[in-house]
Amino acid sequence: MEAVVQGADVFFVLMGAILVFFMHSGFAFLEVGTVRHKNQVNALVKILVDFAISTLAYFFIGYSIAYGIDFFVGADVLTGARAVEGYSFTGSGYDLVKFFFLLTFAAAIPAIISGGIAERAKFWPQLIATATLVAFVYPFVEGMAWGGRYGFQGLIETVTGFAGGFHDFAGSIVVHAVGGWIALAAVLMLGARRGRYRKSGAVIGIPPSNIPFLALGSWILCVGWFGFNVMSAQSLNGISGLVAMNSLMAMVGGILVALVVGRNDPGFVHNGALAGLVAVCAGSDVMHPLGSLVVGGVAGGLFVYLFNLCQNKWRIDDVLGVWPLHGLCGLWGGVAAGIFGLQSLGGLGGVAFLPQLVGSLILVAVAFIGGLVVYGLLKVTIGIRLSEEDEFNGADLSIHKISANPEAEFGGR
């Protein structure tokens, strides 16, 4: 029976890894549908190559920083067939599919950043940033919150007096807020796209290039998100239908509020679903479904309001709005877990407001400072922005030497 349970857990986590890996195509198409036609190929190539770079960075360095585990032993040890001092891999290769699952989370960091820096970032410097962030910055945060390392949870318990520490079940803070706040640092370092803001004060709108592709990206992300959240249990024994229900309700809340506040705008509607899902991750295992509906609804409204504020008043040219969507809605989700997870509000308890607030602020501060350091060093050394001519021509032709529809542009010849 033990072997059967191990095999079932391996299959369960593997399916979760595949679902979250599939989400990366959602990130790609969300960006493809939002950026201008001359930058669509770059969006597709960038996110796929980012995943490959992330895999190597996380395998060789990042996973060890997060959990103190490496894979530099024989395959018989990795699959639990032979014991070696200092290594405790379980049978059937469970730890290997767990790595795959957690890798898909780590690789979401550059996928999130990609949407913010679209249309004017150099290709190879961004890959260097990806390697650095996934090898060092993200795993450090992951180790603090999930790996039981670096004294973070003990610090939260000491400062707040709450024995439960900081709680983030599926990554509102660890993944989404971290990715969003690093993206803000990158966007600030890059500056706005040329012609986006005029000296006169005028803001030049750049509409999405393809609403169906944008919608497709959102749908893919929504489907994959149930693997992202539910399978964060990482075992069949730990699975909870409450997580699925809470994810569903938060998504619905985000959609409907974004529909109303965004005045039927399709971009806001499809991103509203994602805002709700971002916010519910942290407390999806402890909140009541009605609480999740509220959390998702607030996130949908926050995204619309903050996206407009960011783009038009603060003049931060975050192309896909990844800082409002992931950074700020993720921050809201981390704090909300300490509110709507309380038993007095129908939750399961085991959380508290102050640890969630303090923990969330510390982790996003680490992420933002890390982003400033990484992109700041790249900016002053090799540069991170395309030349004015390359930006005008578009990243597709400037970097990849081909457009999204080359045959059509040459008259079908």
Side-chain angles (χ1 to χ4, degrees), residues 186-255:
V187 168
L188 294 176
M189 289 289 174
L190 270 173
R193 288 168 288 178
R194 300 190 188 280
R196 182 77 170 90
Y197 304 111
R198 300 290 172 83
K199 291 182 179 179
S200 64
V203 178
I204 306 304
I206 302 176
S209 62
N210 192 308
I211 295 297
F213 274 158
L214 185 156
L216 175 63
S218 175
W219 274 100
I220 291 172
L221 286 166
C222 288
V223 171
W225 222 294
F226 288 87
F228 194 100
N229 283 2
V230 175
M231 291 172 173
S232 285
Q234 297 183 25
S235 70
L236 278 174
N237 187 51
I239 192 171
S240 171
L242 180 65
V243 177
M245 175 63 84
N246 284 337
S247 301
L248 176 66
M249 296 298 279
M251 180 187 73
V252 168
I255 292 170

Side-chain angles (χ1 to χ4, degrees), residues 311-333:
Q311 297 284 341
N312 300 323
K313 186 173 182 179
W314 295 338
R315 300 166 79 89
I316 299 173
D317 191 18
D318 177 353
V319 179
L320 268 68
V322 297
W323 179 51
L325 179 61
H326 297 274
L328 296 174
C329 289
L331 183 58
W332 157 243

Side-chain angles (χ1 to χ4, degrees), residues 37-288:
H37 189 268
K38 61 183 179 180
N39 297 296
Q40 291 180 331
V41 171
N42 180 245
L44 294 169
V45 174
K46 183 172 48 173
I47 289 179
L48 184 62
V49 177
D50 272 341
F51 190 90
I53 296 293
S54 297
T55 301
L56 297 182
Y58 199 58
F59 179 84
F60 284 105
I61 302 173
Y63 197 73
S64 180
I65 289 176
Y67 300 102
I69 298 170
D70 66 65
F71 302 98
F72 306 125
V73 289
D76 55 345
V77 179
L78 296 178
T79 56
R82 180 169 65 91
V84 171
E85 186 177 354
Y87 293 88
S88 57
F89 292 104
T90 53
S92 303
Y94 171 82
D95 297 278
L96 305 183
V97 294
K98 180 180 177 181
F99 164 82
F100 182 16
F101 181 68
L102 293 172
L103 161 68
T104 60
F105 283 53
I109 301 300
I112 290 168
I113 296 168
S114 176
I117 64 174
E119 301 202 329
R120 75 273 202 203
K122 286 184 176 180
F123 186 66
W124 286 102
Q126 174 54 25
L127 295 184
I128 295 172
T130 291
T132 307
L133 293 167
V134 177
F136 300 104
V137 179
Y138 171 76
F140 180 63
V141 175
E142 184 181 17
M144 292 170 69
W146 288 345
R149 312 193 79 197
Y150 310 115
F152 173 73
Q153 292 290 6
L155 174 66
I156 296 299
E157 291 178 3
T158 301
V159 170
T160 64
F162 179 70
F166 173 76
H167 182 84
D168 187 357
F169 180 70
S172 287
I173 296 295
V174 177
V175 179
H176 298 288
V178 166
W181 283 85
I182 294 175
L184 174 63
V187 168
L188 294 176
M189 289 289 174
L190 270 173
R193 288 168 288 178
R194 300 190 188 280
R196 182 77 170 90
Y197 304 111
R198 300 290 172 83
K199 291 182 179 179
S200 64
V203 178
I204 306 304
I206 302 176
S209 62
N210 192 308
I211 295 297
F213 274 158
L214 185 156
L216 175 63
S218 175
W219 274 100
I220 291 172
L221 286 166
C222 288
V223 171
W225 222 294
F226 288 87
F228 194 100
N229 283 2
V230 175
M231 291 172 173
S232 285
Q234 297 183 25
S235 70
L236 278 174
N237 187 51
I239 192 171
S240 171
L242 180 65
V243 177
M245 175 63 84
N246 284 337
S247 301
L248 176 66
M249 296 298 279
M251 180 187 73
V252 168
I255 292 170
L256 295 177
V257 173
L259 172 70
V260 175
V261 179
R263 299 180 180 180
N264 307 327
D265 182 283
F268 286 142
V269 170
H270 287 92
N271 278 286
L274 308 182
L277 287 163
V278 164
V280 80
C281 289
S284 57
D285 63 326
V286 295
M287 294 192 294
H288 188 279

